[in-house]
């Protein structure tokens, strides 16, 4: 998880102007925490109606799909200049 979160947070901070960093961080935390109950409900539904094995298989397939999406996504190392905040003089 940390291999994902550290570059993710760094990229967000790089492309967000300083005046909006607090708002951006609070919004992203809200969105990630707010989605947890929906994920728990979905996992409970899959476990109860399909079986625990099928539910875990769905989670594994989703994890593999996200990993492949990250592997084949364009590199985020070079943020385009129009997205980077202006440097203070």
């Amino acid at each position: 998880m940390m291999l994902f979160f550290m570059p993710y947070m760094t990229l967000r901070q790089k492309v967000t102007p300083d005046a909006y960093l607090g708002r951006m961080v609070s919004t992203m935390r809200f969105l990630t925490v707010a989605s947890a109950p929906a994920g728990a409900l979905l996992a409970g539904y899959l476990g109860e109606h399909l079986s625990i094995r099928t539910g875990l298989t769905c989670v594994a397939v989703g994890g593999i799909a996200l990993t492949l999406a990250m592997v084949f996504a364009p590199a985020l190392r070079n943020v385009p200049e129009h997205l980077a905040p202006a440097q203070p003089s």
Side-chain angles (χ1 to χ4, degrees):
M1 280 301 233
M2 292 310 287
L3 292 176
F4 169 73
F5 283 121
M6 296 308 287
Y8 177 62
M9 289 188 304
T10 303
L11 177 68
R12 284 189 318 195
Q13 290 177 352
K14 184 175 180 182
V15 300
T16 304
D18 290 340
Y20 295 112
L21 276 175
R23 293 177 183 165
M24 183 273 303
V25 170
S26 64
T27 301
M28 293 307 295
R29 283 192 182 168
F30 171 76
L31 292 174
T32 55
V33 171
S35 64
L41 284 172
L42 180 62
Y45 178 84
L46 288 174
E48 186 165 332
H49 292 288
L50 300 178
S51 77
I52 297 297
R53 183 178 301 266
T54 304
L56 289 175
T57 302
C58 290
V59 170
V61 168
I64 291 169
L66 288 173
T67 301
L68 290 173
M70 285 181 54
V71 167
F72 294 112
L76 295 176
R77 188 170 303 273
N78 299 320
V79 176
E81 289 300 321
H82 69 280
L83 293 178
Q87 298 298 324
S89 48

